């Protein structure tokens, strides 16, 4: 299985400041169809995950533009340009290129 | 509006079986690749199976760790998907989500396996 490794695992942030989460995969996530199926999910305490980003850099409908995704191959990054209080929770990267889909360990974002 | 609602979880003893349900609305399940993902208490996310769309052959895949005990099915007439779990183990304790390949998620149903 593809191993997804996130860092950091814990991220205290100050509201209004930027934040960045890294995700690395154990093999390339470029699919044979040319797409890279790397998503970012956000899970608030007690809630289901919500997808924020798909195919590396595409924001889902309703996701604020302070969230952005980038990367290629095996290295990916989620950036929050200015953290808000509602951004707390755990962020996961997820790959769907290879079977089975696998997830990073999660990065817990909390407000300082 | 797309909606997924899981049900069927509960407290069961090791060795027992359970069938979880996922009711979909707002779209036809038969046209969609769907997955079951679980999350043990305080832990991360783990895919436990997938069913492809009818046009892609209704193929069902399982990760190696669960393939002998987990079984996915779908009832297109009811727009429902199911996850049958046999020979439950304490390590199967988790919230089980149905998801459209990570795009949309249900609220989850908790399965607790305890003697």
């Amino acid at each position: 299985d593809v191993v997804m490794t996130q860092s950091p695992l814990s991220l205290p942030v100050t509201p209004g400041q930027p934040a960045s989460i890294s995700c690395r995969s154990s093999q390339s996530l470029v699919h044979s169809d040319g797409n890279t199926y790397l998503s970012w999910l956000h899970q608030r305490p007690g809630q289901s995950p919500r997808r924020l980003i798909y195919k590396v850099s595409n924001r889902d409908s309703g996701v604020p533009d302070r969230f952005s995704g980038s990367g290629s191959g095996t290295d990916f990054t989620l950036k929050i340009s200015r953290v808000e209080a509602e951004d707390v929770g755990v962020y996961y990267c997820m790959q769907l290129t290879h079977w089975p889909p696998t997830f990073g360990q999660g990065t817990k974002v909390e407000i300082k | 509006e797309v909606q997924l609602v899981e049900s069927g979880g509960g407290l069961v003893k090791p060795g027992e079986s359970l069938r979880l349900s996922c009711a979909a609305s707002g779209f036809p399940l038969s046209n969609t690749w769907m997955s079951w993902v679980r999350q043990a208490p305080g832990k991360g996310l783990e895919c436990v199976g997938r069913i492809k769309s009818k046009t892609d052959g209704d193929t069902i895949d399982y990760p190696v760790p669960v393939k002998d005990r987990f079984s996915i099915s779908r009832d297109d007439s009811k727009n429902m998907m199911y996850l049958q779990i046999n020979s439950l183990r304490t390590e199967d304790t988790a919230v089980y989500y149905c998801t459209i390949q990570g795009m949309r998620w249900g609220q989850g149903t908790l399965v607790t396996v305890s003697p």
Side-chain angles (χ1 to χ4, degrees), chain B residues 3-106:
Chain B
Q3 194 171 11
L4 299 168
V5 179
E6 301 92 336
S7 60
L11 175 62
V12 296
K13 290 182 167 48
E16 294 182 343
S17 297
L18 203 59
R19 189 178 82 154
L20 308 181
S21 301
C22 172
S25 57
F27 71 102
L29 273 179
S30 61
N31 289 358
T32 313
W33 289 32
M34 295 292 297
S35 296
W36 284 97
V37 173
R38 69 181 177 183
Q39 185 171 36
K43 301 296 185 183
L45 300 162
E46 178 189 20
C47 178
V48 295
R50 170 187 72 191
I51 180 167
K52 295 182 180 179
S53 62
K54 188 167 291 297
T55 55
D56 287 311
D58 297 323
T59 305
I60 301 174
D61 300 297
Y62 306 97
V64 169
V66 303
K67 68 178 301 183
D68 292 334
R69 298 187 299 118
F70 286 40
S71 178
I72 294 174
S73 60
R74 195 180 67 216
D75 185 334
D76 294 342
S77 67
K78 296 180 179 178
N79 217 33
M80 297 278 292
M81 180 177 68
Y82 304 98
L83 177 66
Q84 175 77 31
I85 311 175
N86 298 324
S87 303
L88 277 153
R89 305 168 180 171
T90 55
E91 54 265 36
D92 294 322
T93 294
V95 175
Y96 286 74
Y97 298 101
C98 61
T99 173
I100 308 173
Q101 297 292 83
M103 181 177 71
R104 292 288 182 94
W105 298 69

Side-chain angles (χ1 to χ4, degrees), chain A residues 1 39 41 43 47-51 60 92 94 96 99-105, chain B residues 37 39 43-47 49-50 61-63 97 101-103 105-108:
Chain A
D1 296 359
S39 298
L41 311 175
Q43 186 175 34
Q47 295 188 13
S48 309
R50 173 199 180 196
R51 194 178 72 178
D60 273 279
Y92 296 94
M94 172 189 185
L96 294 101
W99 176 258
T102 48
F103 302 83
Q105 318 97 299
Chain B
V37 173
Q39 185 171 36
K43 301 296 185 183
L45 300 162
E46 178 189 20
C47 178
R50 170 187 72 191
D61 300 297
Y62 306 97
Y97 298 101
Q101 297 292 83
M103 181 177 71
W105 298 69
Q107 86 289 350

Side-chain angles (χ1 to χ4, degrees), chain A residues 1 5 11 15 20 25 28 30 36 40 46 56 62 72 75 88 99-100 110:
Chain A
D1 296 359
T5 303
L11 184 57
S20 179
S25 56
S28 173
V30 180
T36 300
W40 288 96
V56 181
S72 63
D75 288 343
V88 299
W99 176 258
E110 56 185 11

Side-chain angles (χ1 to χ4, degrees), chain A residues 25-103:
Chain A
S25 56
S26 60
Q27 45 185 286
S28 173
L29 298 185
V30 180
H31 194 275
S32 55
D33 66 8
N35 291 305
T36 300
Y37 294 101
L38 184 283
S39 298
W40 288 96
L41 311 175
H42 177 214
Q43 186 175 34
R44 294 190 176 103
Q47 295 188 13
S48 309
R50 173 199 180 196
R51 194 178 72 178
L52 302 175
I53 302 283
Y54 63 98
K55 287 196 282 186
V56 181
S57 59
N58 297 274
R59 270 191 308 275
D60 273 279
S61 175
V63 174
D65 61 7
R66 64 178 181 275
F67 290 92
S68 64
S70 63
S72 63
T74 61
D75 288 343
F76 305 93
T77 302
L78 175 70
K79 291 183 179 178
I80 310 174
S81 59
R82 296 173 304 279
V83 172
E84 297 189 6
E86 65 181 19
D87 299 337
V88 299
V90 181
Y91 290 80
Y92 296 94
C93 57
M94 172 189 185
Q95 69 82 21
L96 294 101
T97 297
H98 304 282
W99 176 258
T102 48
F103 302 83

